[in-house]
């Protein structure tokens, strides 16, 4: 009763959103076309790409610019239905087309980000909701893999080890984080955490992957896994990027992990900052250990950073079931 599902469509480039509550459904025509929204989305991505190399003074300017773009997107996508979201704690967002590349939780109403008001999760399609909620889950256990990529991500092994220790789980670090070990034991754990380098291949998304000690865990490899994980966390760069194919079908790591049996997945829209990622993940798993649901735990981990540029906190998003582990 406290959840609303928002499913977006483009009909001849005109945007429509279905607002689905417990006892009613409304179709609302939005005041923007998909090309107009896509143009703003491209400006947002240009802004995000400028952040890592910017100095602090420049970063303040970029933050204001990003908020301006995100405010325009809010007016196009959320403002026309804001009255229907009043009192709803959770939003489940089903994007369409280019909106799959939009961090909707970072939409800005002029004073607050959407994440400040709601717990937000995503689905690749509305039909996935029941599948994610009823996925078979291992009884317990956490497996954390940490691979620095020959020193490129020095915080990754420490992140994995810290999470494993706090949960009395198993850690596979550096040269022990191999393809064979993951394939052999992944199905035995309720939580999988992978801290490593990720790469999105828009030219061939089936070869997007995660770097492990002896090779790449590709999208094709993941489709062949048999998981019983309530949660898979991909603490790596661009793990949530997908190629949007015909019929709005997504090709990438996210869809592969869900197809392999994961009930939910934490992924990233863009390259992430190593130190902030480690701290955000620490907060996320502490909230889970304290009894928070998956959706609430991720929100709690992001909110301490919300005064910074969205580049630092908004890449992380939850897909699938948002409930308890």
């Amino acid at each position: 009763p406290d959840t609303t599902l928002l499913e977006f469509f483009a009909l001849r480039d005109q945007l429509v959103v279905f607002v689905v509550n417990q006892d009613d459904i409304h179709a609302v025509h939005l005041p923007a076309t998909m090309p107009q929204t896509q143009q703003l989305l491209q400006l947002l991505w240009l802004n995000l790409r400028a952040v890592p190399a910017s100095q602090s003074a420049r970063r303040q300017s970029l933050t204001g610019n990003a908020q301006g773009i995100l405010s325009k997107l809010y007016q196009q996508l959320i403002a026309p239905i804001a009255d229907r979201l009043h009192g709803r704690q959770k939003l489940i967002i089903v994007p369409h087309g280019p909106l799959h590349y939009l961090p909707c939780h970072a939409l800005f109403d002029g004073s607050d980000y959407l994440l400040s008001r709601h717990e937000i999760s995503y689905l690749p399609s509305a039909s996935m909701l029941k599948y994610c909620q009823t996925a078979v889950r291992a009884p317990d256990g956490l497996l954390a893999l940490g691979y620095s990529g020959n020193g490129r991500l020095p915080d990754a092994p420490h992140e994995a080890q810290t999470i494993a220790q706090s949960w009395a789980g198993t850690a596979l670090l550096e040269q022990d984080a191999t393809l064979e070990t993951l394939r052999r034991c992944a199905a035995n754990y309720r939580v999988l955490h992978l801290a490593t380098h990720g790469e999105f291949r828009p030219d061939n998304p089936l070869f997007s992957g995660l770097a492990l000690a002896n090779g790449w865990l590709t999208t094709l490899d993941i489709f062949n896994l048999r998981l019983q994980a309530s949660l898979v966390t991909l603490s790596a760069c661009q793990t949530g990027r997908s190629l949007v194919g015909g019929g709005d079908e997504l090709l990438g790591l996210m869809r592969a992990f869900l197809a392999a049996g994961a009930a939910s997945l934490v992924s990233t829209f863009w390259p992430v900052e190593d130190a902030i990622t480690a701290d955000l993940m620490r907060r996320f798993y502490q909230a889970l250990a304290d009894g928070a649901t998956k959706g609430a735990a991720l929100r709690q981990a992001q909110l301490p950073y919300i005064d910074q540029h969205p580049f630092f906190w908004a890449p992380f998003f939850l897909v699938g079931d948002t409930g308890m582990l």
Side-chain angles (χ1 to χ4, degrees):
D2 63 347
T3 303
T4 294
L5 185 144
L6 304 177
E7 184 163 14
F8 292 89
F9 287 98
L11 302 175
R12 298 185 181 91
D13 281 337
Q14 184 65 47
L15 281 169
V16 177
V17 59
F18 286 89
V19 184
V20 184
N21 290 318
Q22 185 180 28
D23 52 1
D24 58 56
I25 301 174
H26 293 273
V28 179
H29 289 263
L30 298 174
T33 64
M34 183 63 85
Q36 289 171 333
T37 301
Q38 191 170 5
Q39 185 178 28
L40 287 171
L41 186 54
Q42 290 169 347
L43 292 174
L44 176 63
W45 277 88
L46 286 173
N47 180 289
L48 292 166
R49 293 188 184 105
V51 172
S54 65
Q55 301 297 321
S56 58
R58 170 65 172 156
R59 194 167 291 171
Q60 291 179 1
S61 174
L62 289 170
T63 301
N65 178 259
Q67 289 177 338
I69 298 168
L70 291 163
S71 180
K72 291 178 181 178
L73 286 163
Y74 178 93
Q75 293 303 317
Q76 291 183 354
L77 302 175
I78 302 297
I81 57 172
D83 59 329
R84 300 186 186 278
L85 307 183
H86 182 70
R88 300 290 176 169
Q89 178 185 351
K90 304 174 186 178
L91 303 183
I92 301 172
I93 296 176
V94 183
H96 180 84
L99 296 183
H100 285 289
Y101 304 127
L102 174 63
C104 292
H105 51 288
L107 293 177
F108 190 68
D109 67 4
S111 59
D112 291 306
Y113 294 103
L114 200 61
L115 185 69
S116 298
R117 302 183 184 278
H118 305 279
E119 174 190 315
I120 298 171
S121 64
Y122 298 80
L123 287 171
S125 65
S127 62
M128 290 291 294
L129 180 58
K130 183 177 180 180
Y131 170 82
C132 292
Q133 291 177 334
T134 59
V136 177
R137 307 175 192 202
D140 52 31
L142 177 145
L143 175 66
L145 277 73
Y147 178 60
S148 69
N150 296 318
R152 286 186 298 171
L153 300 172
D155 289 329
H158 178 69
E159 174 188 326
Q161 186 173 40
T162 299
I163 289 170
Q165 288 176 343
S166 66
W167 278 66
T170 301
L172 298 175
L173 308 177
E174 297 293 56
Q175 296 308 310
D176 291 330
T178 65
L179 292 164
E180 292 77 16
T181 303
L182 180 63
R183 290 172 182 146
R184 184 174 65 252
C185 63
N188 300 325
Y189 292 89
R190 193 176 184 88
V191 179
L192 297 178
H193 182 92
L194 287 81
T196 182
H197 173 65
E199 183 175 291
F200 174 61
R201 288 276 305 273
D203 60 319
N204 195 335
L206 291 179
F207 288 94
S208 297
L210 301 166
L212 296 181
N214 62 340
W216 287 86
L217 179 73
T218 68
T219 301
L220 280 172
D221 295 324
I222 297 162
F223 271 116
N224 291 319
L225 294 176
R226 293 296 176 265
L227 303 179
Q228 298 185 81
S230 175
L231 172 67
V232 175
T233 301
L234 303 182
S235 183
C237 295
Q238 303 185 84
T239 52
R241 294 290 303 277
S242 300
L243 180 68
V244 183
D248 210 50
E249 183 74 14
L250 299 184
L251 296 174
L253 295 173
M254 178 178 69
R255 195 59 181 258
F257 272 105
L258 294 177
S264 62
L265 185 73
V266 171
S267 300
T268 55
F269 278 112
W270 55 77
V272 295
E273 201 277 331
D274 201 23
I276 287 181
T277 298
D279 184 64
L280 191 146
M281 287 298 160
R282 178 188 62 79
R283 294 173 184 271
F284 175 51
Y285 280 95
Q286 183 59 58
L288 289 172
D290 290 341
T293 62
K294 291 174 281 187
L298 182 59
R299 180 173 181 266
Q300 289 177 34
Q302 290 172 296
L303 286 177
Y305 291 100
I306 206 166
D307 290 334
Q308 298 191 34
H309 192 288
F311 173 85
F312 295 103
W313 56 269
F316 304 95
F317 67 105
L318 177 69
V319 178
D321 174 58
T322 66
M324 303 295 293
L325 282 178

